[in-house]
Amino acid sequence: MCPNRYKIEHSLGDPCDLEGNPLPPNAPKPALLMELWAFKAAKYEEDSPFKSHRDVYATIDAIHAGDVPLQCFSVAPQHNLDSDVPRWQQTEYQVWYRDPDAVIQAMLANPDFAGQFDYSPYVHYDQSGKRRWKDFMSGNYAWRKSDTIYENDPSTEGSMYVGIILGSDKTTVSVATGHVEYHPLYLSIGNPHNCVRRAHRNAVTPIGFLAIPKADRKYDNDVQFRTFKRQLYHSSLAAILKSLEGPMTKPIVCRCPDGHFRRVIYDLAAFIADYPEQVMLSGIVQNWCAKCTALPEDLHGSTAKHRSQDYTDVLVETFNSDVLWDQYGIDDDIVPFTNDFPRADIHEMLSPDLLHQVIKGCFKDHLVTWTGEYLKEVHGEARANDIIDDIDHRIAATPSFPGLRRFPEGRRFKQWTGDHSKALMKVYIPEIVEYVPPQLVECLSAFLNFCYLVRRSELGEDFLAEIKQALQHFHEAREIFRDSGFRPNGFALPRQHSMVHYIRLIQEFGAPNGLCSSIT
């Protein structure tokens, strides 16, 4: 263990036997199958554990190991509905899922994770005594929750903390499906290192496909339909995750990547979601922040009191629905799925999402779009289109070079992905610098500085100070869009506002690139 890494004493993940009894120090790992065969062959002087090839095939056919099978449950409509109720109220919805407990145990037993797996929360300091954050278990969240588990039940001492990471992202699959919408739910755990999770080495698994209610256009803004969709969403999540409730309070024995058995205890730790999904998850009103109570018209860069489920519960008991909606941004018709699980708070669980908040959100949807609109505001549409075409020609002329992606047609392609945005970041400033004022270049430069800092795989206290400075610089430089009249009402945008929470979220969950929707 690194001399500057300190593990939490009562959640060390001590090895145990199948009954949960602690093993003595340096106890050997349980014997593997091949070793058992060798012992049996030596004892009975047998040459092979199988009598014939048919015996081999029969043994293989009897094995139940493999992917956890999909199951299905249905959400039936209410009985005795009137014949004129909308179709979406009469529909029976199917939800397909895998048992999350079985999925987690399969992840824990995966020997591929050995050597890149943390058995205990820890705090890491560099040689100068400054804190560093990297993988999930280096964050404050895992340490704090392990403390809470032990304080609530001292019999959990020595167990291994397993933080459960969820993610969902409704998407349209256009290839060979006829543009079919899917709403997958993903699961990971916080113990494998971020590099394992990003590499998709079986550390992220789809565990469900949520129902997507459909209705006629006249219900697009219907309050009852909106509430129905949210309630169906939360009740489906609670049902899928039901098998996790027991192991969240009483440790179970599981095999781990190093071959040892350990007592493990589950905890709902993080949820990866873009902003529309965060609204649905947290039960807030559109354009409010899911992490703090900043007013929707005051999201320019300020922070406010952190949201929590306890705080929400007090408000719900105190005020009526209209006050909650208008003054606190709370939809009290929604009961978050986390209410069914111990220690879970959806506001604490919402993690940073580099892809939707920073890369595609702030850069592609905001700054690149605003730059084009700025050119039209200053030069008129005809001249601005000529300039934008020339910018695209310059982007297309970027020479081949390691680490640079070529755009043969400039930016004029239909399917814009996060990888396109990350590649455009590297060449965008030099292609526009001739056509925009220095302050706009300064704005983009400050944003890219922030972006590349938060995308690092390991961050220390000095980097957090640089992130804070880059964000402040960006907030100052983006005023050019307000001064030019293009953004007269400022920057009350939830995705840009989310950047003010990144320093705290890094301290909570480690480097953001381990909890990004790009891994799902």
Side-chain angles (χ1 to χ4, degrees):
M1 183 180 72
C2 173
N4 296 322
R5 181 179 289 193
Y6 302 97
K7 292 185 177 181
I8 193 165
E9 293 182 355
H10 46 71
S11 185
L12 292 173
D14 298 326
C16 67
D17 60 20
L18 274 170
E19 304 300 325
N21 302 310
L23 294 178
N26 302 318
K29 293 184 290 185
L32 300 177
L33 181 60
M34 293 301 294
E35 295 172 346
L36 293 174
W37 282 352
F39 290 139
K40 182 182 177 184
K43 181 177 180 180
Y44 297 104
E45 297 182 354
E46 296 177 351
D47 294 329
S48 170
F50 302 107
K51 297 178 181 179
S52 66
H53 68 280
R54 290 187 179 86
D55 190 18
V56 175
Y57 292 150
T59 302
I60 293 173
D61 290 341
I63 293 174
H64 296 287
D67 288 341
V68 178
L70 281 168
Q71 305 176 59
C72 179
F73 66 81
S74 297
V75 181
Q78 297 178 3
H79 297 293
N80 303 321
L81 290 173
D82 296 334
S83 58
D84 59 345
V85 299
R87 186 180 60 189
W88 50 266
Q89 283 187 300
Q90 304 176 37
T91 303
E92 181 176 296
Y93 297 95
Q94 287 189 338
V95 178
W96 289 86
Y97 72 102
R98 290 186 173 101
D99 179 5
D101 181 31
V103 170
I104 292 172
Q105 292 195 42
M107 285 184 182
L108 291 173
N110 191 339
D112 290 345
F113 299 160
Q116 296 178 306
F117 190 95
D118 292 318
Y119 297 94
S120 174
Y122 65 90
V123 174
H124 185 199
Y125 294 96
D126 60 21
Q127 296 299 326
S128 62
K130 293 183 177 180
R131 179 86 179 269
R132 299 190 71 83
W133 294 268
K134 185 179 181 182
D135 300 307
F136 175 83
M137 296 291 266
S138 69
N140 296 342
Y141 188 96
W143 186 287
R144 184 173 66 251
K145 285 307 182 83
S146 292
D147 265 344
T148 300
I149 291 169
Y150 173 73
E151 290 169 359
N152 292 342
D153 183 3
S155 70
T156 60
E157 183 175 8
S159 60
M160 183 176 79
Y161 175 82
V162 176
I164 297 167
I165 299 168
L166 300 170
S168 62
D169 184 14
K170 185 164 66 174
T171 184
T172 301
V173 179
S174 56
V175 178
T177 68
H179 294 273
V180 174
E181 272 192 316
Y182 292 94
H183 200 164
L185 175 68
Y186 299 90
L187 182 144
S188 182
I189 54 178
N191 307 78
H193 293 173
N194 287 350
C195 60
V196 176
R197 201 176 299 112
R198 290 198 307 272
H200 293 265
R201 286 168 48 190
N202 296 319
V204 181
T205 300
I207 63 163
F209 292 92
L210 304 174
I212 305 177
K214 300 290 186 180
D216 296 332
R217 287 183 176 84
K218 63 182 180 180
Y219 294 106
D220 286 350
N221 297 315
D222 185 81
V223 174
Q224 189 178 5
F225 181 52
R226 182 194 67 228
T227 301
F228 174 80
K229 288 190 295 184
R230 291 189 177 190
Q231 289 175 339
L232 176 63
Y233 177 80
H234 283 278
S235 61
S236 298
L237 288 177
I240 291 173
L241 302 174
K242 181 68 176 176
S243 64
L244 303 180
E245 190 174 356
M248 289 181 69
T249 54
K250 182 178 178 60
I252 60 173
V253 177
C254 298
R255 185 187 286 272
C256 295
D258 62 357
H260 280 294
F261 290 97
R262 287 177 173 82
R263 296 163 65 239
V264 305
I265 191 158
Y266 297 162
D267 186 54
L268 293 182
F271 206 114
I272 307 168
D274 61 6
Y275 179 71
E277 195 117 6
Q278 288 188 358
V279 170
M280 188 177 293
L281 279 164
S282 57
I284 64 166
V285 178
Q286 187 77 20
N287 295 323
W288 287 71
C289 177
K291 298 294 292 184
C292 73
T293 58
L295 297 174
E297 63 272 15
D298 190 30
L299 296 180
H300 304 283
S302 62
T303 58
K305 178 182 175 63
H306 295 302
R307 287 188 186 270
S308 69
Q309 194 57 50
D310 290 341
Y311 177 70
T312 298
D313 291 342
V314 170
L315 293 176
V316 169
E317 292 175 1
T318 306
F319 301 107
N320 62 38
S321 298
D322 291 338
V323 173
L324 291 171
W325 183 280
D326 295 333
Q327 298 184 23
Y328 296 96
I330 295 173
D331 183 355
D332 63 341
D333 286 330
I334 306 305
V335 178
F337 76 95
T338 47
N339 279 25
D340 291 353
F341 300 92
R343 303 181 304 276
D345 186 329
I346 188 58
H347 301 291
E348 288 186 357
M349 289 173 60
L350 292 175
S351 65
D353 183 7
L354 287 171
L355 178 63
H356 289 106
Q357 292 173 342
V358 178
I359 297 168
K360 291 181 69 175
C362 189
F363 178 68
K364 181 252 181 180
D365 292 342
H366 294 167
L367 296 180
V368 173
T369 301
W370 292 356
T371 300
E373 296 298 327
Y374 172 85
L375 292 171
K376 292 178 182 179
E377 186 79 20
V378 173
H379 298 285
E381 186 165 354
R383 173 58 182 154
N385 286 335
D386 291 338
I387 293 173
I388 292 171
D389 283 340
D390 186 55
I391 291 172
D392 279 345
H393 295 156
R394 295 181 179 198
I395 292 172
T398 301
S400 298
F401 192 81
L404 292 183
R405 180 173 183 164
R406 298 199 67 243
F407 296 89
E409 303 298 327
R411 292 172 295 129
R412 306 198 71 174
F413 45 85
K414 294 181 180 179
Q415 192 70 26
W416 186 294
T417 67
D419 287 339
H420 288 128
S421 294
K422 286 184 278 189
L424 184 63
M425 286 178 178
K426 299 178 181 179
V427 299
Y428 190 61
I429 289 181
E431 312 304 358
I432 68 169
V433 67
E434 180 181 334
Y435 295 113
V436 299
Q439 188 179 352
L440 200 155
V441 175
E442 190 178 344
C443 172
L444 285 164
S445 178
F447 167 78
L448 291 181
N449 189 23
F450 173 90
C451 180
Y452 285 123
L453 284 169
V454 296
R455 286 172 58 189
R456 292 180 64 91
S457 296
E458 186 171 1
L459 295 140
E461 293 182 31
D462 292 339
F463 283 116
L464 296 191
E466 291 184 42
I467 291 170
K468 183 177 180 180
Q469 184 177 4
L471 183 60
Q472 182 178 355
H473 189 187
F474 168 66
H475 285 163
E476 294 170 353
R478 71 180 178 180
E479 289 296 322
I480 185 174
F481 293 108
R482 192 204 304 259
D483 296 340
S484 65
F486 175 63
R487 297 286 308 176
N489 296 323
F491 309 95
L493 302 165
R495 285 183 291 180
Q496 280 198 32
H497 169 76
S498 69
M499 295 162 64
V500 306
H501 295 296
Y502 265 60
I503 290 177
R504 179 173 177 269
L505 293 177
I506 289 168
Q507 295 169 333
E508 287 286 284
F509 300 118
N513 64 9
L515 294 177
C516 176
S517 54
S518 60
I519 69 175
T520 60

